[in-house]
Amino acid sequence: MSEKQEFKHITVLLHEAVDALAVKENGIYVDGTFGRGGHSRLILSKLGSQGRLIVFDKDPQAVAVAEALAAEDKRVSVVHDGFANFQTALDGLGIERIDGALFDLGISSPQIDDGERGFSFRYDAPLDMRMDPTRGLSAAQWLAQADEQEIHEVIKNYGEERFSRQIARAVVAKRAEAPIDTTRKLAQLVAENVRTRERGQDPATRTFQAVRIYINRELEEVAAVLPQAVGRLKTGGRLAVIAFHSLEDRIVKQFIKKHSRHEPLPRWVMVKDDERPQPPVKEVGKAVKPSAAEIEANPRSRSAILRIAERTDGPLTEG
């Protein structure tokens, strides 16, 4: 494929997510997952001349698009890094507080559709799977060196795959004969070891998801960024997070739940809830899912779920 080939990307929950931020004309906002800039451009359309938008992305292709936008619009600052380094990046830009942060988690359509990136079993390509192919181990390198137990645990925990142990055992046996260095080799190996298939789903789906999540430390980054983002929000600032599978969404849901209510106190503590400091966030509305029309237009949006929280003036405690 040509490096110049463009891959279509349809932004999921575009208006719902940006509306959730309640954008202020001269506010400072963060798009923690720029992708191809759908959410960012809509945020910019609502900002005034003194507004500011900081965008993060690991993917060099996404960063190139973001830097082109920043060259046209001086309100934009680009961070080529994962959002787990949220606070460090803001410190480097001299930003102490922000008015809102948006995170559209997971993998983007251009990453899936570019077979050369090695994310999809639909193409035969080098088994890479890194969102930033300039950093860290590729999927092939990890599979070549991880022991059987580690491979089993990753596929089980991140892919919720029932046949994880059989797949891990097969990986170790196969790599002794030849490297598992292409998407086709891994997909075929998985297909040979998944005894029952879910209707409409390739047997390699769960394994590819698991390896991708592990290689990119996706769940760890989500858990790391949420307290950082809330800690930087001004009172009344908004956090909006779109998740695409249950593991991501569980982290977001539990974080908002934990920090939007008081921890129960022992019965002997004579303190009423209204006498305690306000929790640091409050949940805004119910979780938002794509409309039937959006799912019909973009089937990849069907599993998306948006959760929204607003910063109060209550203290954010560690833990």
Side-chain angles (χ1 to χ4, degrees), residues 52-304:
R52 192 167 180 187
L53 178 65
I54 298 89
V55 303
F56 286 71
D57 213 293
K58 292 181 180 181
D59 191 321
Q61 294 178 8
V63 169
V65 177
E67 288 178 340
L69 178 62
E72 299 173 358
D73 194 327
K74 301 305 180 184
R75 298 173 297 174
V76 180
S77 299
V78 181
V79 179
H80 181 189
D81 203 347
F83 52 64
N85 295 319
F86 192 90
Q87 294 198 86
T88 301
L90 292 190
D91 286 343
L93 292 168
I95 296 171
E96 184 175 351
R97 290 283 181 265
I98 60 174
D99 295 278
L102 169 62
F103 300 93
D104 183 359
L105 305 178
I107 190 169
S108 69
S109 292
Q111 290 169 330
I112 297 171
D113 294 336
D114 184 352
E116 294 177 2
R117 300 296 299 274
F119 285 105
S120 176
F121 44 76
R122 291 189 288 125
Y123 310 98
D124 188 21
L127 186 61
D128 195 309
M129 293 197 188
R130 290 172 294 175
M131 292 183 180
D132 184 349
T134 69
R135 305 175 189 179
L137 292 177
S138 69
Q141 289 169 328
W142 176 70
L143 286 174
Q145 67 180 44
D147 63 33
E148 181 179 322
Q149 182 63 21
E150 182 181 10
I151 296 170
H152 153 64
E153 289 177 356
V154 166
I155 296 173
K156 177 184 177 182
N157 295 335
Y158 295 156
E160 301 176 299
E161 171 59 73
R162 288 179 294 162
F163 300 103
S164 57
R165 192 167 295 281
Q166 293 93 319
I167 294 167
R169 188 178 303 122
V171 165
V172 172
K174 179 66 74 173
R175 75 187 185 192
E177 302 170 5
I180 303 168
D181 54 7
T182 69
T183 53
R184 181 165 295 168
K185 288 178 183 178
L186 179 58
Q188 288 176 342
L189 181 149
V190 173
E192 292 166 1
N193 288 275
V194 172
R195 295 194 297 272
T196 60
R197 304 186 182 197
E198 297 172 72
R199 181 176 295 179
Q201 186 178 94
D202 189 283
T205 299
R206 291 179 177 273
T207 296
F208 270 65
Q209 172 187 290
V211 175
R212 187 204 87 219
I213 289 173
Y214 176 78
I215 289 295
N216 293 289
R217 300 294 190 265
E218 293 177 37
L219 301 185
E220 291 88 343
E221 288 209 341
V222 174
V225 77
L226 294 175
Q228 294 183 58
V230 168
R232 292 285 181 148
L233 287 174
K234 298 175 183 177
T235 300
R238 292 285 185 87
L239 171 71
V241 186
I242 303 171
F244 285 84
H245 60 73
S246 60
L247 298 176
E248 293 172 334
D249 184 54
R250 189 178 305 144
I251 294 170
V252 179
K253 181 179 180 180
Q254 290 178 350
F255 176 85
I256 294 175
K257 179 180 179 180
K258 176 179 179 180
H259 293 286
S260 61
R261 59 189 70 183
H262 291 298
E263 292 288 337
L265 293 174
R267 291 183 178 181
W268 53 265
V269 176
M270 303 299 290
V271 177
K272 298 179 180 179
D273 276 351
D274 59 8
E275 297 172 337
R276 300 169 67 183
Q278 191 175 11
V281 301
K282 64 179 180 180
E283 189 168 10
V284 177
K286 296 181 179 180
V288 179
K289 297 182 179 181
S291 66
E294 179 169 4
I295 293 171
E296 183 177 358
N298 179 19
R300 286 177 177 170
S301 71
R302 63 185 178 277
S303 61

Side-chain angles (χ1 to χ4, degrees), residues 2-9 36 65 110 113:
S2 168
E3 291 184 3
K4 295 182 179 179
Q5 183 171 352
E6 289 296 323
F7 296 92
K8 186 176 182 181
H9 178 66
R36 291 301 182 269
V65 177
D113 294 336

Side-chain angles (χ1 to χ4, degrees), residues 12-79:
V12 174
L13 292 169
L14 173 60
H15 293 281
E16 294 89 342
V18 174
D19 288 348
L21 294 176
V23 175
K24 298 175 182 176
E25 184 177 3
N26 294 320
I28 302 174
Y29 293 87
V30 172
D31 183 348
T33 44
F34 179 80
R36 291 301 182 269
H39 289 120
S40 286
R41 290 184 176 86
L42 186 55
I43 292 169
L44 287 168
S45 74
K46 296 175 181 291
L47 287 176
S49 60
Q50 300 304 308
R52 192 167 180 187
L53 178 65
I54 298 89
V55 303
F56 286 71
D57 213 293
K58 292 181 180 181
D59 191 321
Q61 294 178 8
V63 169
V65 177
E67 288 178 340
L69 178 62
E72 299 173 358
D73 194 327
K74 301 305 180 184
R75 298 173 297 174
V76 180
S77 299
V78 181
V79 179

